Amino acid sequence: MTNSFPLLSFLVLLPLAGCLLLLPVWKRPRVAFPLTLGIALAEFALTLRLFADWQGMAALPSRLPGFFLLEDLPWIPFLGIRYTLGLDGISLLMVMLTAFTFCTALLVSWRAITEKTGMFLFLMLLMESGIMGVFLALDLALFYLFWEVMLIPMFFLIGIWGHGRRLYSTVKFFLFTLAGSLLMLLAIIALHLLHAQQTGVATFGLYELLQNRLPLETQLWLYAAFLLAFAIKFPLFPLHTWLPDAHTDAPTAGSVILAGLLLKTGSYGLIRFGYPLFPQAAQVLTPLVYALALIGLVYASLVAFAQEDMKRLIAYSSIGHMGYVAIGIAAWQPVALSGAIIQMANHGVTTGALFCMVGMLDERAHTRDIRAFGGLWGKVPLWSFFFLLFSLASVGLPGLNNFVGEFLVLAGTMKQSPLVAALAFVGIVLTLIYTVRLVQEVLFQQERQPLPLLDLNRRELCLLAVLALLNIWMGIHPAPLLDLIHTPVQLLIGGVP
């Protein structure tokens, strides 16, 4: 339905309004941090309200199939660019994840960010606005604008508040993402011109561009550009090399947002735009996506096993887990695609939690080297309990969230390609091996260095408890989320975004 109150614009603009509110308290962290967290919590509360009301909204007639809310206004008429935002079940899941992840990232940064606090919070809110826009835009020009807006703050977050080789990691992140973005921009412009040539109407609207009748060769070129841009964000092998460096050198909040959200924008873009706009090309290149996802899954697992830096190990495990998402999308089948979308949310919660925990440990011990730890189960029992829980979720233990997504991906892919499903299962075994090694060495092995560590404080305990409860709820009762995405998945498989 077309909503009378612009709720979707409110979701995008509330963080931007927060940027303006921050300006008078720019140099007063004790005021700026609570103000920013209050804005982030208000944003999250709004997404929860939308989740509570989605079934009622879905029952109302809509101009676009599957979309509960729609805002459509002319923006730059002579170029055919419109301000079109839409919310369906997939978008709602992603905006909930976005709002929740930013609350998490702010809480974990409460004591960790002590310099240029005002600028840090300003960039966080700007990035939240951009990511919200990415998950809501239905005009390709608008989508591209939000795509670029979300990247700039991350560039500064790594470059200013990062560690180690932060300049190297920042430049690498920038070059990879810029190259992909420019190719996607060229493809968007080409799509726009082809539509104008065929119909005489200039538009960047997704639904209008779906009416294009493109020969397979043209589809292949344009789809390749979209796929490259989204594969860098996934990140699919061999385009993944920026991610371990970015994760390793980013501040904890940056790692949480990278894992929880920025990687999801690539998979979301492929689902929302790539497959619907170029269905024949996507089908032709499905074996390529399968192959890259499987190579990435196995490669990342093997490299993760060899890591001594906990953050880098989790970064490589993140690449492996996103391989399941790529396989589920490539299968383009209802069960597998549902699993891929659920896994996007699961990965954001679980891997985000693990990055938070490594950040907490780094703040105390000033090292992330696995060889420096051992015996933490007896020394910091609360931290150890949550670390074990999220590690078990990461390997897909039944009852925890990752199991649901990976099971659906494998079950759905089995119908399309039993060989791919069987090879993907090997990835679960490899994940189990390096995770057991990590848990054994950090928690249970004999203490190697007498590190004076304090257990979780009240803020950290509350944050991890919420993440743990969410993890368990998504693991034992995923039905509400599966119901939410059921209709849009069916429409996507039928050729409607």
Side-chain angles (χ1 to χ4, degrees):
M1 66 175 182
T2 302
N3 41 309
S4 54
F5 182 80
L7 281 171
L8 304 184
S9 295
F10 193 74
L11 274 176
V12 174
L13 296 178
L14 179 59
L16 281 181
C19 291
L20 297 178
L21 291 174
L22 271 178
L23 294 179
V25 294
W26 185 270
K27 294 185 178 179
R28 297 164 60 192
R30 291 188 177 183
V31 178
F33 247 119
L35 175 64
T36 307
L37 181 61
I39 293 166
L41 288 172
E43 185 93 336
F44 183 47
L46 179 57
T47 65
L48 290 181
R49 178 59 188 270
L50 290 171
F51 181 60
D53 293 343
W54 78 266
Q55 288 178 318
M57 293 188 291
L60 298 173
S62 174
R63 185 160 65 84
L64 297 183
F67 282 87
F68 320 137
L69 295 176
L70 187 67
E71 293 172 21
D72 183 31
L73 297 168
W75 182 23
I76 309 177
F78 75 97
L79 290 177
I81 300 176
R82 299 184 68 83
Y83 177 81
T84 309
L85 302 178
L87 185 80
D88 66 354
I90 300 173
S91 302
L92 180 52
L93 182 60
M94 291 298 108
V95 297
M96 281 196 295
L97 179 67
T98 302
F100 177 76
T101 302
F102 270 91
C103 293
T104 303
L106 287 171
L107 282 170
V108 83
S109 306
W110 200 272
R111 300 287 182 198
I113 301 299
T114 55
E115 295 180 357
K116 300 182 177 68
T117 308
M119 184 186 293
F120 172 82
L121 297 172
F122 182 93
L123 292 171
M124 289 284 282
L125 288 173
L126 179 62
M127 186 158 46
E128 182 173 14
S129 181
I131 296 174
M132 284 288 180
V134 164
F135 290 135
L136 294 173
L138 293 180
D139 181 286
L140 266 72
L142 189 63
F143 171 78
Y144 185 79
L145 174 68
F146 286 127
W147 183 268
E148 294 299 317
V149 167
M150 75 175 180
L151 297 179
I152 297 168
M154 181 55 74
F155 174 83
F156 288 108
L157 280 184
I158 301 174
I160 297 175
W161 292 275
H163 317 282
R165 300 186 303 166
R166 59 186 178 186
L167 182 60
Y168 170 80
S169 298
T170 304
V171 171
K172 196 171 181 179
F173 166 77
F174 180 74
L175 291 178
F176 267 78
T177 53
L178 180 66
S181 297
L182 289 177
L183 281 173
M184 183 170 66
L185 177 61
L186 288 175
I188 289 173
I189 293 171
L191 205 56
H192 167 81
L193 294 175
L194 287 168
H195 183 81
Q197 190 179 42
Q198 290 183 2
T199 65
V201 177
T203 181
F204 287 91
L206 174 59
Y207 273 77
E208 289 76 14
L209 293 176
L210 284 172
Q211 309 307 318
N212 285 353
R213 295 290 176 264
L214 302 175
L216 178 58
E217 186 178 358
T218 305
Q219 277 197 39
L220 283 170
W221 280 106
L222 297 180
Y223 177 68
F226 273 80
L227 180 60
L228 185 64
F230 296 144
I232 288 173
K233 280 289 185 299
F234 250 81
L236 278 179
F237 179 90
L239 304 169
H240 66 284
T241 59
W242 65 271
L243 185 68
D245 293 322
H247 268 310
T248 304
D249 297 327
T252 301
S255 295
V256 170
I257 293 170
L258 272 171
L261 299 174
L262 257 62
L263 307 191
K264 312 302 177 298
T265 59
S267 47
Y268 176 84
L270 199 57
I271 293 170
R272 177 70 74 203
F273 301 103
Y275 274 72
L277 282 169
F278 315 106
Q280 293 171 289
Q283 192 173 6
V284 169
L285 294 182
T286 290
L288 174 66
V289 177
Y290 274 147
L292 294 179
L294 287 171
I295 293 171
L297 207 165
V298 174
Y299 168 80
S301 299
L302 294 174
V303 177
F305 185 80
Q307 298 303 309
E308 299 296 348
D309 185 319
M310 293 174 67
K311 208 172 180 185
R312 205 168 178 85
L313 186 154
I314 297 170
Y316 275 106
S317 80
S318 185
I319 296 171
H321 285 122
M322 287 303 290
Y324 288 105
V325 175
I327 289 170
I329 295 173
W332 206 245
Q333 185 270 352
V335 175
L337 184 58
S338 298
I341 295 167
I342 292 294
Q343 184 63 7
M344 287 160 62
N346 291 340
H347 177 267
V349 173
T350 303
T351 306
L354 285 171
F355 275 121
C356 286
M357 298 207 67
V358 172
M360 292 171 187
L361 193 61
D362 192 16
E363 284 179 35
R364 289 161 167 78
H366 304 292
T367 179
R368 303 185 302 257
D369 194 326
I370 295 171
R371 294 166 295 189
F373 299 106
L376 294 191
W377 186 263
K379 182 177 284 187
V380 281
L382 287 175
W383 185 93
S384 301
F385 167 77
F386 284 109
F387 190 72
L388 180 61
L389 176 72
F390 294 123
S391 297
L392 292 174
S394 180
V395 300
L397 186 75
L400 299 176
N401 61 353
N402 275 29
F403 172 79
V404 178
E406 292 177 1
F407 176 80
L408 291 175
V409 167
L410 292 178
T413 307
M414 184 68 76
K415 296 180 180 177
Q416 299 293 91
S417 176
L419 177 62
V420 172
L423 293 173
F425 181 78
V426 175
I428 294 179
V429 178
L430 294 174
T431 303
L432 181 62
I433 292 172
Y434 69 72
T435 303
V436 167
R437 178 224 165 199
L438 173 67
V439 169
Q440 167 67 20
E441 293 205 23
V442 172
L443 299 188
F444 300 115
Q445 196 158 334
Q446 189 174 3
E447 184 179 18
R448 298 166 186 173
Q449 292 185 23
L451 295 169
L453 300 177
L454 295 175
D455 210 344
L456 300 175
N457 59 38
R458 193 176 304 169
R459 171 180 54 87
E460 294 165 337
L461 180 61
C462 290
L463 172 62
L464 295 178
V466 171
L467 284 163
L469 289 174
L470 183 60
N471 195 307
I472 294 168
W473 176 73
M474 294 167 80
I476 63 176
H477 189 50
L481 299 182
L482 291 171
D483 289 343
L484 178 65
I485 64 173
H486 175 76
T487 299
V489 165
Q490 295 296 325
L491 291 169
L492 280 165
I493 299 298
V496 182

